[in-house]
């Protein structure tokens, strides 16, 4: 008998039958069928047990069919009722997503050409990429910024249509990884329907990601549920903004496609978690609306606001006592303030931010968000519009103060990305000067943090600007010639002064070099290094060096037109 029971359990090892056999009312007829089937074939035993289970459940009206051939898995035996399950919601969401996607979601074909930052007068090889997008109000197509980054040519194809239509990139927000495309062809818009933006989904809400992932050419729908909502690192723009984590696979090609909940867009698919399975991220509607409204109000993308602060949590009790924080007060300590921010004129180091626009900050820097969720207060800052004021309450020397601070997008001293623009450079006597950017450091490979010059890397990640339009200018390389012999080992050092004058940026360096009226040109570098050239001889050598290395111009277009 024990062997027959084990045999029956092996036969019905699926999740459905395992749940049924745990219920006594269902297990008894199954056991009886086993006892009466000692000499019967295996297939007959299985059929008899199945019929006994079905008969028992029908008599108690506890059986629910999802189709004529399958049993519904969400039966609740304890409460003896049929709840509306996540499976049914996901199924309905997927069907709705398919219907909406057929006349809204498009495939985006991009031809791009990225610059070579080590040889800034050259471009890298042309490459072709594909992504997804969808139609929104105003005859626009919304997609990801990384789908069209460094584009030279963009085409769009509708579902079920063999024709590709030329598209123009109207606006790009690399921080939020969003872009807007426009198409002039009237033929393209025939039959196309815009999708409506919805709200931020709650945990365990079902969504369907629609797009054109790799592995095929037709439209694809992947279903999943929301597992987390919190600020996340946007890989493309290296910014920290709100994102929604879902358990649906988001593969290359899915980028830019909508995540649909019911009949509205819950977000835009844009990245996945490397090294993990079925962990994808979508850009939520608040970030999308902030991007679109900014483009509509200003005619171009202007960025997300920042307080310009670096803060430390106050979770340690001794730290709170040192700053005279009463037990009923919570907040974070101001560590650094960007000199270009409005907060630099108002706040001080060691100020403790207690609240932002009336919302209390916890000691870990989070604020309440929806139903018992928490989110970092940076989200409240990023959702403010440029030039909008925020009320910040701080604790300073044991006394509370309330300040009004104007918020603005703040650019770092060393740009994090340089998409859709050519790099700047200036060449004099074979000395190649460029502004320091993170894309320049990325040329050292995937492990650039460890392989790039350590001093430049640290400054790129931590140093703050002291004035507007400031750049860190470096001597990237030396194109060898008699005029610069002996200076080749001074590459990758920061340029500090030209003829005793501190430089502000690459444009300023060029002006100082061109306006030199002395016999010798002196360039002071980092690490107390110095370069001295005979100015007239250096000017003559520059043209021959350019010709030898087939460099079309000694200066980049952006500097030559200013």
């Amino acid at each position: 008998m024990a062997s027959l029971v084990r045999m029956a359990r092996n036969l019905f090892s699926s999740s459905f039958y395992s749940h049924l056999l745990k219920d006594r009312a269902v297990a008894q007829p199954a056991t009886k069928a086993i006892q009466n089937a000692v000499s019967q074939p295996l297939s007959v035993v299985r059929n008899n047990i199945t019929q006994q289970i079905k008969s028992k459940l029908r008599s108690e009206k506890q059986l629910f069919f999802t189709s004529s051939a399958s049993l519904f898995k969400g039966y609740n035996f304890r409460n003896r009722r049929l709840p509306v399950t996540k499976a049914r919601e996901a199924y309905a969401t997927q069907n709705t997503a398919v219907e909406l996607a057929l006349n809204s979601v498009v495939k985006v074909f991009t031809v791009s050409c990225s610059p070579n930052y080590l040889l800034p007068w050259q471009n890298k090889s042309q490459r072709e990429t594909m992504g997804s997008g969808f139609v929104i109000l105003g005859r626009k197509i919304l997609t990801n910024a990384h789908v069209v980054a460094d584009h030279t040519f963009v085409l769009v194809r509708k579902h079920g249509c063999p024709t590709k239509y030329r598209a123009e990139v109207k606006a790009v927000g690399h921080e939020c990884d969003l872009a807007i495309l426009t198409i002039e062809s009237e033929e393209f818009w025939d039959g196309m329907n815009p999708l409506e933006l919805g709200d931020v989904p709650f945990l365990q809400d079902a969504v369907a990601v629609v797009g054109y992932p790799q592995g095929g050419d037709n439209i694809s729908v992947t279903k999943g549920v929301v597992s987390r909502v919190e600020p996340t690192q946007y890989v493309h723009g290296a910014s920290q903004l709100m994102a929604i984590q879902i358990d649906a696979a988001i593969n290359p090609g899915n980028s830019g496609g909508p995540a649909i909940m019911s009949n509205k867009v819950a977000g835009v698919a844009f990245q996945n978690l490397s090294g993990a399975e079925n962990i994808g991220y979508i850009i939520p509607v608040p970030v999308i609306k902030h991007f679109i409204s900014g483009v509509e109000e200003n005619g171009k993308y202007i960025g997300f606001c920042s307080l310009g602060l670096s803060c430390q949590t106050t979770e340690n009790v001794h730290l709170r006592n040192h700053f005279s924080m009463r037990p009923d007060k919570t907040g974070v300590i101001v560590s650094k303030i960007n000199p270009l921010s409005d907060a630099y004129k108002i706040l001080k180091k060691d100020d403790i931010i207690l609240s932002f626009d009336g919302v209390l900050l916890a000691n870990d820097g989070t604020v309440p968000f929806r139903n018992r969720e928490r989110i970092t207060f940076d989200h409240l800052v990023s959702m403010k519009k440029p030039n909008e004021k925020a009320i910040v309450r701080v604790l300073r020397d044991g006394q509370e103060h309330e300040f009004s601070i104007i918020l603005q997008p703040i650019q770092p001293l060393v740009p994090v990305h340089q998409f859709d623009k050519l790099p700047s450079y200036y060449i004099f006597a074979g000395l190649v000067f460029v502004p320091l950017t993170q894309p320049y450091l990325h040329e050292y490979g995937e492990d650039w943090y460890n392989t790039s010059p350590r001093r430049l890397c640290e400054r790129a990640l931590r140093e703050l600007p002291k004035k507007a339009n400031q750049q860190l200018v470096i001597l990237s390389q030396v194109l060898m010639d008699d005029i610069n012999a002996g200076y080749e080992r001074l590459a990758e050092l920061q340029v500090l002064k030209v003829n005793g004058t501190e430089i502000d940026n690459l444009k300023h360096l060029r002006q100082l070099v061109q306006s030199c009226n002395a016999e010798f040109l002196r360039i002071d570098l980092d690490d107390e290094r110095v370069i001295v050239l005979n100015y007239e001889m250096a000017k003559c050598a520059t043209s021959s060096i350019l010709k030898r290395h087939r460099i079309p111009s000694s200066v980049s277009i952006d500097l030559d037109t200013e």
Side-chain angles (χ1 to χ4, degrees):
M1 179 60 66
S3 62
L4 284 174
V5 173
R6 286 195 298 270
M7 177 186 68
R9 286 177 177 173
N10 291 334
L11 284 172
F12 301 99
S13 59
S14 66
S15 58
F16 170 73
Y17 287 107
S18 62
H19 283 302
L20 291 181
L21 293 175
K22 290 179 182 179
D23 192 282
R24 290 186 178 181
V26 180
Q28 288 177 356
T31 304
K32 184 177 180 180
I34 294 174
Q35 293 173 348
N36 296 333
V38 175
S39 61
Q40 295 179 356
L42 192 63
S43 60
V44 177
V45 174
R46 182 186 182 109
N47 291 335
N48 287 344
I49 295 177
T50 302
Q51 292 301 322
Q52 289 287 345
I53 293 175
K54 288 183 178 180
S55 176
K56 181 63 178 178
L57 291 177
R58 284 196 187 98
S59 64
E60 296 185 6
K61 297 182 180 180
Q62 296 172 342
L63 188 62
F64 182 82
F65 290 93
T66 57
S67 66
S68 59
S70 61
L71 295 172
F72 184 63
K73 296 182 180 181
Y75 178 77
N76 188 326
F77 291 105
R78 178 173 296 179
N79 298 326
R80 296 292 195 270
R81 61 186 178 86
L82 297 174
V84 178
T85 66
K86 293 294 180 182
R88 295 177 65 188
E89 291 177 1
Y91 182 76
T93 297
Q94 185 174 6
N95 284 345
T96 303
V98 173
E99 294 173 3
L100 293 173
L102 297 182
N103 296 322
S104 299
V105 181
V106 298
K107 190 169 186 177
V108 181
F109 302 83
T110 303
V111 178
S112 60
C113 194
S114 302
N116 186 336
Y117 288 91
L118 295 181
L119 302 173
W121 52 87
Q122 295 182 359
N123 282 334
K124 297 179 181 178
S125 300
Q126 178 177 284
R127 61 190 181 95
E128 298 180 5
T129 57
M130 290 176 288
S132 306
F134 61 96
V135 177
I136 59 175
L137 291 175
R139 285 195 166 192
K140 302 171 186 175
I141 296 175
L142 189 66
T143 186
N144 282 145
H146 73 259
V147 172
V148 295
D150 293 323
H151 66 279
T152 58
F153 203 76
V154 180
L155 295 172
V156 169
R157 191 186 70 193
K158 300 191 292 185
H159 171 69
C161 176
T163 305
K164 297 177 183 177
Y165 299 87
R166 178 69 184 275
E168 296 293 335
V169 180
K170 180 182 178 181
V172 179
H174 292 289
E175 285 82 7
C176 58
D177 202 0
L178 291 171
I180 295 177
L181 310 181
T182 58
I183 297 178
E184 294 183 0
S185 173
E186 290 293 331
E187 179 184 346
F188 170 83
W189 296 107
D190 184 27
M192 297 299 288
N193 297 323
L195 295 181
E196 184 180 354
L197 300 179
D199 299 316
V200 178
F202 287 89
L203 300 182
Q204 289 299 302
D205 277 346
V207 297
V209 178
V210 186
Y212 293 86
Q214 65 180 10
D217 198 43
N218 285 325
I219 202 166
S220 170
V221 181
T222 307
K223 62 181 179 179
V225 297
V226 175
S227 53
R228 184 177 293 151
V229 179
E230 65 180 6
T232 303
Q233 185 81 8
Y234 282 37
V235 174
H236 176 71
S239 56
Q240 192 88 3
L241 295 171
M242 179 193 283
I244 300 172
Q245 179 182 315
I246 60 176
D247 66 354
I250 296 179
N251 298 310
N254 262 131
S255 298
I260 299 176
M261 183 176 67
S262 298
N263 61 345
K264 294 183 180 180
V265 174
V268 177
F270 75 114
Q271 66 186 35
N272 58 22
L273 183 60
S274 178
E277 294 184 1
N278 293 341
I279 296 182
Y281 295 91
I282 61 177
I283 303 171
V285 171
V287 176
I288 299 172
K289 288 184 176 179
H290 190 280
F291 165 72
I292 295 176
S293 62
V295 172
E296 291 176 348
E297 293 174 6
N298 301 277
K300 61 179 181 179
Y301 172 74
I302 56 175
F304 285 73
C305 289
S306 170
L307 272 174
L309 304 178
S310 175
C311 298
Q312 177 185 341
T313 63
T314 60
E315 296 173 286
N316 185 277
V317 62
H318 306 290
L319 183 68
R320 293 196 299 271
N321 292 336
H322 174 75
F323 287 99
S324 303
M325 293 180 65
R326 300 195 305 270
D328 60 327
K329 298 297 179 183
T330 57
V332 293
I333 301 174
V334 175
S335 303
K336 291 182 181 180
I337 309 176
N338 192 312
L340 302 184
S341 66
D342 187 55
Y344 187 78
K345 299 176 291 185
I346 299 173
L347 300 182
K348 296 181 180 180
K349 187 180 184 304
D350 291 343
D351 279 350
I352 298 176
I353 302 179
L354 302 176
S355 68
F356 181 88
D357 275 347
V359 181
L360 298 179
L361 275 65
N363 291 327
D364 62 352
T366 62
V367 294
F369 177 67
R370 301 194 310 185
N371 182 26
R372 297 175 62 186
E373 298 175 69
R374 299 195 68 84
I375 195 169
T376 60
F377 88 99
D378 292 334
H379 170 66
L380 302 180
V381 178
S382 64
M383 289 296 102
K384 302 285 281 189
K385 294 183 178 181
N387 297 319
E388 191 174 355
K389 293 183 178 180
I391 304 301
V392 178
R393 192 168 187 82
V394 302
L395 181 67
R396 179 183 297 171
D397 299 327
Q399 301 295 321
E400 291 189 26
H401 304 271
E402 194 168 270
F403 301 108
S404 177
I405 300 176
I406 300 175
L407 301 181
Q408 287 280 5
I410 302 176
Q411 299 301 322
L413 174 61
V414 177
V416 177
H417 55 75
Q418 292 277 276
F419 297 109
D420 305 323
K421 61 183 297 186
L422 296 175
S424 300
Y425 70 90
Y426 174 57
I427 303 175
F428 182 77
L431 308 177
V432 182
F433 301 103
V434 300
L436 179 62
T437 63
Q438 285 199 29
Y440 173 85
L441 298 176
H442 295 167
E443 295 288 0
Y444 286 86
E446 294 185 0
D447 193 26
W448 61 271
Y449 182 81
N450 294 315
T451 57
S452 61
R454 173 55 48 195
R455 188 173 300 180
L456 296 182
C457 186
E458 291 297 321
R459 289 177 179 175
L461 297 176
R462 292 175 174 81
E463 195 161 334
L464 296 175
K466 298 177 181 178
K467 60 181 75 173
N469 299 320
Q470 183 184 358
Q471 292 177 324
L472 292 184
V473 181
I474 62 173
L475 174 62
S476 67
Q477 62 177 306
V478 178
L479 305 175
M480 287 303 299
D481 187 78
D482 291 336
I483 194 69
N484 55 43
Y487 294 145
E488 61 273 8
R489 295 184 180 181
L490 301 182
E492 299 176 343
L493 290 177
Q494 181 183 349
V495 182
L496 302 178
K497 298 178 181 179
V498 173
N499 285 342
T501 303
E502 290 188 3
I503 65 168
D504 296 330
N505 47 49
L506 184 59
K507 180 182 178 182
H508 188 211
L509 180 146
R510 184 194 178 204
Q511 291 172 347
L512 292 174
V513 171
Q514 289 183 328
S515 62
C516 177
N517 52 17
E519 180 181 0
F520 292 99
L521 176 73
R522 173 175 174 145
I523 302 174
D524 287 273
L525 306 176
D526 195 15
D527 203 22
E528 304 298 332
R529 305 295 178 174
V530 63
I531 292 175
V532 177
L533 298 169
N534 182 287
Y535 184 64
E536 292 300 328
M537 295 178 62
K539 285 177 63 178
C540 295
T542 299
S543 58
S544 61
I545 294 173
L546 295 177
K547 184 177 180 180
R548 187 186 313 137
H549 290 272
R550 300 175 184 177
I551 301 174
S553 175
S554 64
V555 61
S556 57
I557 296 177
D558 60 321
L559 296 180
D560 200 28
T561 55
E562 290 181 350

